[in-house]
PDB file of all heavy atoms in Angstrom:
ATOM      1  N   ASN A  12     -15.415 -12.804   7.183  1.00 92.00           N
ATOM      2  CA  ASN A  12     -16.557 -13.457   7.837  1.00 92.00           C
ATOM      3  C   ASN A  12     -17.723 -13.709   6.906  1.00 92.00           C
ATOM      4  O   ASN A  12     -18.892 -13.437   7.239  1.00 92.00           O
ATOM      5  CB  ASN A  12     -17.056 -12.641   9.040  1.00 92.00           C
ATOM      6  CG  ASN A  12     -15.918 -12.323  10.015  1.00 92.00           C
ATOM      7  OD1 ASN A  12     -15.021 -13.149  10.204  1.00 92.00           O
ATOM      8  ND2 ASN A  12     -15.911 -11.113  10.558  1.00 92.00           N
ATOM      9  N   ALA A  23     -15.515   0.852  -4.194  1.00 98.00           N
ATOM     10  CA  ALA A  23     -16.518   1.050  -5.255  1.00 98.00           C
ATOM     11  C   ALA A  23     -16.887   2.511  -5.342  1.00 98.00           C
ATOM     12  O   ALA A  23     -17.069   3.054  -6.433  1.00 98.00           O
ATOM     13  CB  ALA A  23     -17.743   0.176  -4.953  1.00 98.00           C
ATOM     14  N   GLY A  43     -12.881 -15.923  -3.896  1.00 98.00           N
ATOM     15  CA  GLY A  43     -13.082 -16.674  -2.670  1.00 98.00           C
ATOM     16  C   GLY A  43     -13.623 -18.050  -3.027  1.00 98.00           C
ATOM     17  O   GLY A  43     -13.577 -18.450  -4.198  1.00 98.00           O
ATOM     18  N   ALA A  54     -22.395  -6.649  -7.752  1.00 97.00           N
ATOM     19  CA  ALA A  54     -22.576  -6.125  -9.105  1.00 97.00           C
ATOM     20  C   ALA A  54     -23.627  -5.021  -9.119  1.00 97.00           C
ATOM     21  O   ALA A  54     -23.528  -4.059  -9.874  1.00 97.00           O
ATOM     22  CB  ALA A  54     -22.960  -7.241 -10.070  1.00 97.00           C
ATOM     23  N   ALA A  68      -8.969 -22.910  -3.668  1.00 96.00           N
ATOM     24  CA  ALA A  68      -7.637 -22.315  -3.434  1.00 96.00           C
ATOM     25  C   ALA A  68      -7.733 -20.909  -2.847  1.00 96.00           C
ATOM     26  O   ALA A  68      -6.737 -20.361  -2.353  1.00 96.00           O
ATOM     27  CB  ALA A  68      -6.867 -22.255  -4.760  1.00 96.00           C
ATOM     28  N   LEU A  69      -8.956 -20.319  -2.864  1.00 97.00           N
ATOM     29  CA  LEU A  69      -9.139 -18.962  -2.375  1.00 97.00           C
ATOM     30  C   LEU A  69      -9.952 -18.935  -1.070  1.00 97.00           C
ATOM     31  O   LEU A  69     -10.436 -17.884  -0.651  1.00 97.00           O
ATOM     32  CB  LEU A  69      -9.800 -18.109  -3.455  1.00 97.00           C
ATOM     33  CG  LEU A  69      -9.043 -17.987  -4.776  1.00 97.00           C
ATOM     34  CD1 LEU A  69      -9.922 -17.341  -5.846  1.00 97.00           C
ATOM     35  CD2 LEU A  69      -7.747 -17.209  -4.574  1.00 97.00           C
ATOM     36  N   VAL A  85      -6.879  -8.476 -13.806  1.00 98.00           N
ATOM     37  CA  VAL A  85      -6.317  -7.272 -14.468  1.00 98.00           C
ATOM     38  C   VAL A  85      -6.280  -7.504 -15.965  1.00 98.00           C
ATOM     39  O   VAL A  85      -6.680  -6.637 -16.757  1.00 98.00           O
ATOM     40  CB  VAL A  85      -4.905  -6.949 -13.915  1.00 98.00           C
ATOM     41  CG1 VAL A  85      -4.236  -5.867 -14.743  1.00 98.00           C
ATOM     42  CG2 VAL A  85      -4.996  -6.524 -12.448  1.00 98.00           C
ATOM     43  N   ASP A  86      -5.841  -8.694 -16.381  1.00 98.00           N
ATOM     44  CA  ASP A  86      -5.785  -8.997 -17.811  1.00 98.00           C
ATOM     45  C   ASP A  86      -7.168  -9.022 -18.432  1.00 98.00           C
ATOM     46  O   ASP A  86      -7.415  -8.393 -19.455  1.00 98.00           O
ATOM     47  CB  ASP A  86      -5.167 -10.383 -18.030  1.00 98.00           C
ATOM     48  CG  ASP A  86      -3.646 -10.363 -17.846  1.00 98.00           C
ATOM     49  OD1 ASP A  86      -3.093  -9.245 -17.744  1.00 98.00           O
ATOM     50  OD2 ASP A  86      -3.048 -11.458 -17.791  1.00 98.00           O
ATOM     51  N   ASP A  89      -8.703  -5.633 -18.603  1.00 97.00           N
ATOM     52  CA  ASP A  89      -7.828  -4.629 -19.223  1.00 97.00           C
ATOM     53  C   ASP A  89      -7.740  -3.403 -18.305  1.00 97.00           C
ATOM     54  O   ASP A  89      -7.909  -2.272 -18.747  1.00 97.00           O
ATOM     55  CB  ASP A  89      -8.382  -4.267 -20.624  1.00 97.00           C
ATOM     56  CG  ASP A  89      -7.409  -3.363 -21.369  1.00 97.00           C
ATOM     57  OD1 ASP A  89      -6.203  -3.427 -21.070  1.00 97.00           O
ATOM     58  OD2 ASP A  89      -7.870  -2.602 -22.255  1.00 97.00           O
ATOM     59  N   ARG A 107       3.036  -6.841  -4.638  1.00 98.00           N
ATOM     60  CA  ARG A 107       3.506  -7.999  -5.413  1.00 98.00           C
ATOM     61  C   ARG A 107       2.848  -7.986  -6.802  1.00 98.00           C
ATOM     62  O   ARG A 107       3.501  -8.230  -7.820  1.00 98.00           O
ATOM     63  CB  ARG A 107       3.224  -9.310  -4.658  1.00 98.00           C
ATOM     64  CG  ARG A 107       3.852 -10.486  -5.310  1.00 98.00           C
ATOM     65  CD  ARG A 107       4.234 -11.608  -4.351  1.00 98.00           C
ATOM     66  NE  ARG A 107       5.145 -12.453  -5.096  1.00 98.00           N
ATOM     67  CZ  ARG A 107       6.142 -13.147  -4.630  1.00 98.00           C
ATOM     68  NH1 ARG A 107       6.369 -13.170  -3.323  1.00 98.00           N
ATOM     69  NH2 ARG A 107       6.912 -13.847  -5.421  1.00 98.00           N
ATOM     70  N   VAL A 125      -8.735  12.575 -10.629  1.00 93.00           N
ATOM     71  CA  VAL A 125      -8.356  12.495 -12.051  1.00 93.00           C
ATOM     72  C   VAL A 125      -8.148  13.902 -12.518  1.00 93.00           C
ATOM     73  O   VAL A 125      -9.001  14.775 -12.292  1.00 93.00           O
ATOM     74  CB  VAL A 125      -9.502  11.941 -12.928  1.00 93.00           C
ATOM     75  CG1 VAL A 125      -8.973  11.503 -14.251  1.00 93.00           C
ATOM     76  CG2 VAL A 125     -10.249  10.856 -12.235  1.00 93.00           C
ATOM     77  N   PRO A 149       1.624   7.848 -17.092  1.00 93.00           N
ATOM     78  CA  PRO A 149       0.717   6.974 -17.840  1.00 93.00           C
ATOM     79  C   PRO A 149       1.139   5.505 -17.737  1.00 93.00           C
ATOM     80  O   PRO A 149       2.309   5.209 -17.572  1.00 93.00           O
ATOM     81  CB  PRO A 149       0.877   7.477 -19.300  1.00 93.00           C
ATOM     82  CG  PRO A 149       1.450   8.835 -19.193  1.00 93.00           C
ATOM     83  CD  PRO A 149       2.262   8.858 -17.956  1.00 93.00           C
ATOM     84  N   GLY A 150       0.164   4.634 -17.760  1.00 94.00           N
ATOM     85  CA  GLY A 150       0.462   3.215 -17.617  1.00 94.00           C
ATOM     86  C   GLY A 150      -0.340   2.610 -16.489  1.00 94.00           C
ATOM     87  O   GLY A 150      -1.086   3.301 -15.825  1.00 94.00           O
ATOM     88  N   THR A 172     -22.248 -10.370 -13.635  1.00 97.00           N
ATOM     89  CA  THR A 172     -21.118 -11.198 -13.192  1.00 97.00           C
ATOM     90  C   THR A 172     -20.641 -12.070 -14.311  1.00 97.00           C
ATOM     91  O   THR A 172     -21.387 -12.370 -15.246  1.00 97.00           O
ATOM     92  CB  THR A 172     -21.493 -12.089 -11.995  1.00 97.00           C
ATOM     93  OG1 THR A 172     -22.523 -12.985 -12.423  1.00 97.00           O
ATOM     94  CG2 THR A 172     -22.043 -11.302 -10.806  1.00 97.00           C
ATOM     95  N   PRO A 215       9.022   3.583  30.962  1.00 98.00           N
ATOM     96  CA  PRO A 215       7.999   2.661  31.482  1.00 98.00           C
ATOM     97  C   PRO A 215       7.457   3.062  32.854  1.00 98.00           C
ATOM     98  O   PRO A 215       6.256   2.927  33.118  1.00 98.00           O
ATOM     99  CB  PRO A 215       8.716   1.310  31.552  1.00 98.00           C
ATOM    100  CG  PRO A 215      10.169   1.620  31.344  1.00 98.00           C
ATOM    101  CD  PRO A 215      10.268   2.894  30.607  1.00 98.00           C
ATOM    102  N   GLN A 259     -14.665   3.095  22.581  1.00 96.00           N
ATOM    103  CA  GLN A 259     -15.599   4.188  22.344  1.00 96.00           C
ATOM    104  C   GLN A 259     -16.100   4.712  23.732  1.00 96.00           C
ATOM    105  O   GLN A 259     -17.281   4.688  23.970  1.00 96.00           O
ATOM    106  CB  GLN A 259     -16.775   3.626  21.537  1.00 96.00           C
ATOM    107  CG  GLN A 259     -17.479   4.655  20.743  1.00 96.00           C
ATOM    108  CD  GLN A 259     -18.560   4.021  19.855  1.00 96.00           C
ATOM    109  OE1 GLN A 259     -18.559   2.850  19.587  1.00 96.00           O
ATOM    110  NE2 GLN A 259     -19.482   4.867  19.381  1.00 96.00           N
ATOM    111  N   PRO A 260     -15.176   5.151  24.560  1.00 97.00           N
ATOM    112  CA  PRO A 260     -15.599   5.595  25.887  1.00 97.00           C
ATOM    113  C   PRO A 260     -16.299   6.959  25.850  1.00 97.00           C
ATOM    114  O   PRO A 260     -16.315   7.652  24.797  1.00 97.00           O
ATOM    115  CB  PRO A 260     -14.281   5.696  26.643  1.00 97.00           C
ATOM    116  CG  PRO A 260     -13.291   6.056  25.602  1.00 97.00           C
ATOM    117  CD  PRO A 260     -13.723   5.339  24.353  1.00 97.00           C
ATOM    118  N   SER A 269       0.826  11.000  19.098  1.00 97.00           N
ATOM    119  CA  SER A 269       0.812  11.932  17.945  1.00 97.00           C
ATOM    120  C   SER A 269      -0.476  11.891  17.135  1.00 97.00           C
ATOM    121  O   SER A 269      -0.883  12.869  16.561  1.00 97.00           O
ATOM    122  CB  SER A 269       2.023  11.647  17.038  1.00 97.00           C
ATOM    123  OG  SER A 269       1.909  10.355  16.465  1.00 97.00           O
ATOM    124  N   VAL A 276      -8.027   5.098  14.398  1.00 94.00           N
ATOM    125  CA  VAL A 276      -9.154   4.209  14.115  1.00 94.00           C
ATOM    126  C   VAL A 276      -9.615   3.474  15.366  1.00 94.00           C
ATOM    127  O   VAL A 276     -10.759   3.024  15.439  1.00 94.00           O
ATOM    128  CB  VAL A 276      -8.871   3.172  12.979  1.00 94.00           C
ATOM    129  CG1 VAL A 276      -8.561   3.845  11.684  1.00 94.00           C
ATOM    130  CG2 VAL A 276      -7.790   2.222  13.362  1.00 94.00           C
ATOM    131  N   ILE A 284     -12.985  13.740  23.326  1.00 98.00           N
ATOM    132  CA  ILE A 284     -11.532  13.457  23.316  1.00 98.00           C
ATOM    133  C   ILE A 284     -10.738  14.668  23.772  1.00 98.00           C
ATOM    134  O   ILE A 284     -10.911  15.756  23.250  1.00 98.00           O
ATOM    135  CB  ILE A 284     -11.066  13.038  21.902  1.00 98.00           C
ATOM    136  CG1 ILE A 284     -11.806  11.747  21.457  1.00 98.00           C
ATOM    137  CG2 ILE A 284      -9.559  12.830  21.859  1.00 98.00           C
ATOM    138  CD1 ILE A 284     -11.639  11.396  19.969  1.00 98.00           C
ATOM    139  N   ASN A 288      -0.508  17.319  24.061  1.00 97.00           N
ATOM    140  CA  ASN A 288       0.692  17.072  23.253  1.00 97.00           C
ATOM    141  C   ASN A 288       1.496  18.348  23.133  1.00 97.00           C
ATOM    142  O   ASN A 288       0.896  19.421  22.953  1.00 97.00           O
ATOM    143  CB  ASN A 288       0.302  16.583  21.835  1.00 97.00           C
ATOM    144  CG  ASN A 288       1.456  15.959  21.114  1.00 97.00           C
ATOM    145  OD1 ASN A 288       2.520  16.571  20.934  1.00 97.00           O
ATOM    146  ND2 ASN A 288       1.308  14.706  20.719  1.00 97.00           N
ATOM    147  N   PHE A 308       3.745  16.255  31.470  1.00 98.00           N
ATOM    148  CA  PHE A 308       4.172  16.122  32.878  1.00 98.00           C
ATOM    149  C   PHE A 308       3.822  17.387  33.707  1.00 98.00           C
ATOM    150  O   PHE A 308       3.858  17.330  34.907  1.00 98.00           O
ATOM    151  CB  PHE A 308       5.682  15.815  32.936  1.00 98.00           C
ATOM    152  CG  PHE A 308       5.962  14.442  32.420  1.00 98.00           C
ATOM    153  CD1 PHE A 308       6.539  14.283  31.127  1.00 98.00           C
ATOM    154  CD2 PHE A 308       5.609  13.314  33.120  1.00 98.00           C
ATOM    155  CE1 PHE A 308       6.744  13.005  30.628  1.00 98.00           C
ATOM    156  CE2 PHE A 308       5.823  12.042  32.614  1.00 98.00           C
ATOM    157  CZ  PHE A 308       6.394  11.887  31.373  1.00 98.00           C
TER     158      PHE A 308
END
Side-chain angles (χ1 to χ4, degrees):
Chain A
N12 306 324
L69 301 170
V85 171
D86 284 350
D89 188 24
R107 188 150 195 148
V125 197
T172 62
Q259 205 174 342
S269 64
V276 299
I284 299 168
N288 195 304
F308 292 104

